[in-house]
Amino acid sequence: MEDRKRALVSRLLQYALVHEVLAIPYDEIIIKRTLEGKPYLECGDVCTDFPNFNFNASHHGDYVAIASEPLCLVGVDIVSIVIPQKETVIEFIQNFSSYFSSFEWDSIVNAGTSDDILIEFYRYWCLKEAYVKAIGSGVAYGLDRVEFHHSCWTNISVNVEGKAMKEWRFWLLELGKGHLVSIARGHPRSATESYMRTLKQAEFDEEEYHAALHLPNVRFVSRTVEQLIPVSHKDRVHRTSIS
């Protein structure tokens, strides 16, 4: 039930974001899904100022988050750092060892204490999820093919099948107590075939794309669930509840 509530808030966030950024009336917003299940906006000619307007949402633990981009692909992932109860940390993370490269796995298991190992595991997992969500593939892509490098979790970069993906940027942030959030921003040409068909433009000149890639990463803004509900719907709910 808790996960269903978070999923509902995720849907509300998607509609609220589209309405706020593109000024599309709520009853005209059409959100569909690709074959892999990635949500996208069917916007027709509305998005002329944002040729590849796309968004991504995530929910885990106490938070639901959403991020959007006008040109680059965007992926976001939240993890709640949950301490396993019925097994040790090593036993828990061993269930996911096949999703990490040998370099990443060594970094995880040699991070220090059990708590350090668990946090390191979730950091890598959070980034991998953000990347595969950005390209529209989900975990079916093969997370072990995606290898992250960093300098104390800044200047984060990714190699895919051994190739450095220089047209991507990543952020990893703390989001409240015991939660992490990662954001991935990258080139549209990396999108899956079905997701690519939802975008208007896959190729850009170097200067234009560089400007988009290096746009400021705006801080998350906290909203209550009530703030996500359109005023007209609030009135309708209120009239129904008192009639």
Side-chain angles (χ1 to χ4, degrees), residues 113-187:
T113 66
S114 292
D115 288 346
D116 294 333
I117 290 172
L118 188 64
I119 293 172
E120 197 80 350
F121 163 80
Y122 276 119
R123 284 169 174 158
Y124 278 109
W125 185 266
C126 193
L127 285 165
K128 285 172 177 279
E129 286 275 8
Y131 174 77
V132 297
K133 290 174 69 178
I135 65 174
S137 70
V139 293
Y141 182 81
L143 295 180
D144 59 312
R145 299 158 59 189
V146 182
E147 180 181 273
F148 281 92
H149 296 261
H150 62 89
S151 300
C152 297
W153 295 106
T154 60
N155 299 320
I156 302 169
S157 61
V158 67
N159 292 350
V160 177
E161 295 185 328
K163 180 182 177 182
M165 305 295 284
K166 297 181 179 180
E167 296 171 324
W168 282 80
R169 297 185 70 198
F170 299 89
W171 294 264
L172 183 65
L173 311 166
E174 291 186 2
L175 186 68
K177 185 178 180 180
H179 293 73
L180 297 171
V181 60
S182 62
I183 305 101
R185 177 191 290 166
H187 205 292

Side-chain angles (χ1 to χ4, degrees), residues 84-94 114:
Q85 300 298 314
K86 297 182 179 180
E87 54 191 341
T88 66
V89 167
I90 295 298
E91 290 171 339
F92 169 71
I93 68 171
Q94 193 68 47
S114 292

Side-chain angles (χ1 to χ4, degrees), residues 40-106:
Y40 68 93
L41 175 68
E42 189 174 83
C43 58
D45 297 327
V46 178
C47 306
T48 52
D49 293 334
F50 307 106
N52 286 340
F53 176 80
N54 68 114
F55 56 84
N56 192 227
S58 178
H59 56 85
H60 197 209
D62 298 333
Y63 292 91
V64 183
I66 194 166
S68 66
E69 284 287 334
L71 188 151
C72 298
L73 301 182
V74 64
V76 63
D77 191 62
I78 293 175
V79 293
S80 173
I81 301 173
V82 179
I83 299 174
Q85 300 298 314
K86 297 182 179 180
E87 54 191 341
T88 66
V89 167
I90 295 298
E91 290 171 339
F92 169 71
I93 68 171
Q94 193 68 47
N95 298 318
F96 305 90
S97 61
S98 63
Y99 295 109
F100 297 90
S101 70
S102 57
F103 169 80
E104 292 171 329
W105 189 250
D106 287 344

Side-chain angles (χ1 to χ4, degrees), residues 183-214:
I183 305 101
R185 177 191 290 166
H187 205 292
R189 69 165 68 102
S190 299
T192 61
E193 183 178 349
S194 64
Y195 188 37
M196 181 79 76
R197 288 196 291 268
T198 73
L199 305 174
K200 291 188 175 182
Q201 194 172 350
E203 296 297 334
F204 302 86
D205 64 57
E206 186 174 347
E207 183 177 350
E208 183 181 11
Y209 181 72
H210 187 270
L213 183 63
H214 291 275

